[in-house]
Amino acid sequence: MSVLLDLADALADSLAEASWSTMTDPVTVYRENWPRVDVEDLQEPTISVVPAAIESTRIGRRSMQHDYQLFVYVARHAPADADADEMLVFAEEVIEQIEEHAWATVAPAVSWPDGITTPQEVTIELNPGEALRERNVWRQAITVVYRSLRSY
């Protein structure tokens, strides 16, 4: 059993079930270990959820804090400024969905690991490293950290 993999699966499944008010095109959600897409694959908005890291910190003699980090990539081919603007609005909606963590109503059939609630931290980077700029691909990297406490 891997809590990190279970979290990545749960977040991807939950995002796949979400209804997006800012996007009229269908949204494709993947849970991947190594996301690789071509511009041809990005004609519609795409979300990739990737398990990233685990940080373990001792908080007591027999207690540990585990921070599970996921990367969420939001991308789409955006040849016009209006397309890029639409994606920025959509990405903010993705962030709000993740922060609210209201999956019990959005995706009630999805099982989340025990003890996991709203994310501890969400950071966002727009077009990191100006990736794929030459091909007009709009991309946002979201880092989500979920915290779990464990006693031994």
Side-chain angles (χ1 to χ4, degrees):
M1 178 180 110
S2 167
V3 175
L4 184 61
L5 289 176
D6 290 347
L7 273 170
D9 289 338
L11 183 57
D13 291 345
S14 297
L15 290 169
E17 293 296 318
S19 297
W20 305 106
S21 64
T22 60
M23 190 57 57
T24 57
D25 292 327
V27 176
T28 305
V29 180
Y30 299 102
R31 206 290 282 158
E32 302 177 282
N33 290 314
W34 302 282
R36 291 179 58 131
V37 293
D38 294 319
V39 70
E40 296 80 25
D41 300 328
L42 296 173
Q43 298 308 305
E44 296 173 346
T46 301
I47 299 172
S48 295
V49 179
V50 179
I54 302 170
E55 182 179 326
S56 181
T57 305
R58 181 168 303 282
I59 58 172
R61 186 173 184 174
R62 299 185 54 92
S63 301
M64 300 295 290
Q65 169 184 299
H66 291 178
D67 287 345
Y68 298 96
Q69 185 181 71
L70 303 174
F71 293 144
V72 179
Y73 298 103
V74 180
R76 182 181 194 171
H77 182 236
D81 281 347
D83 298 328
D85 290 346
E86 179 183 47
M87 283 303 295
L88 183 56
V89 172
F90 172 62
E92 287 187 28
E93 184 179 14
V94 172
I95 293 163
E96 289 170 4
Q97 287 274 8
I98 292 170
E99 289 173 340
E100 290 173 12
H101 194 81
W103 305 121
T105 55
V106 173
V110 175
S111 295
W112 281 76
D114 289 339
I116 299 297
T117 59
T118 57
Q120 183 68 28
E121 180 180 328
V122 179
T123 57
I124 302 101
E125 185 176 0
L126 179 61
N127 200 26
E130 295 198 35
L132 304 176
R133 180 182 171 137
E134 68 279 0
R135 298 190 311 182
N136 295 320
V137 172
W138 188 96
R139 184 176 81 149
Q140 182 173 46
I142 303 168
T143 303
V144 183
V145 177
Y146 292 96
R147 182 164 287 163
S148 175
L149 304 176
R150 183 179 298 170
S151 295
Y152 299 96

